[in-house]
Amino acid sequence: MTRMEEVKTTYRSPDEKARLINRLKRIEGQVRGIQNMVENDRYCIDILTQISAINAAMKNVGLELLEKHTHHCVTSAVQNGEGEQAIDELMDVFKRFSKSQ
């Protein structure tokens, strides 16, 4: 990113931010747990089960962020006459999000 590019931000309430950060920290702990499982030669199915749980947790975080973005950022952009760009951006992220699932 060059210096001239604008960095977009989204306001999150302290409660919302704390909830997201706590969830991501739990996921981070789960990933460290999988690292330990690999180091300790744990059974493949046990590791895959934990990976599945992490994927589901990340999907839920992503869905929460998509919902917030749609209700607030996209709605605001539509109201400000910038709806086409916001909808195109949203559709691009939906496409990327659905590929990762």
Side-chain angles (χ1 to χ4, degrees):
M1 177 171 20
T2 66
R3 286 183 161 177
M4 302 307 267
E5 289 184 51
E6 177 185 345
V7 175
K8 294 181 180 181
T9 61
T10 300
Y11 171 78
R12 290 178 182 81
S13 70
D15 287 343
E16 179 184 11
K17 194 180 292 190
R19 188 176 61 253
L20 286 169
I21 289 171
N22 286 336
R23 186 63 188 125
L24 291 168
K25 285 181 179 181
R26 280 194 299 260
I27 293 167
E28 180 182 26
Q30 287 176 291
V31 171
R32 281 193 307 270
I34 290 174
Q35 290 170 339
N36 289 333
M37 292 173 80
V38 170
E39 288 172 357
N40 294 317
D41 298 322
R42 290 284 302 269
Y43 187 54
C44 296
I45 297 300
D46 294 340
I47 295 170
L48 291 168
T49 299
Q50 291 304 310
I51 290 171
S52 177
I54 290 169
N55 286 336
M58 287 298 294
K59 179 181 177 182
N60 287 334
V61 169
L63 287 172
E64 184 174 339
L65 289 168
L66 278 170
E67 182 177 8
K68 164 82 175 193
H69 181 71
T70 303
H71 283 290
H72 297 280
C73 302
V74 174
T75 299
S76 177
V78 168
Q79 291 169 348
N80 293 326
E82 300 168 352
E84 285 298 318
Q85 180 183 353
I87 290 169
D88 289 345
E89 181 182 58
L90 180 63
M91 292 309 300
D92 286 343
V93 80
F94 269 128
K95 290 173 189 172
R96 281 181 278 159
F97 192 73
S98 66
K99 285 180 185 177
S100 69
Q101 303 307 310

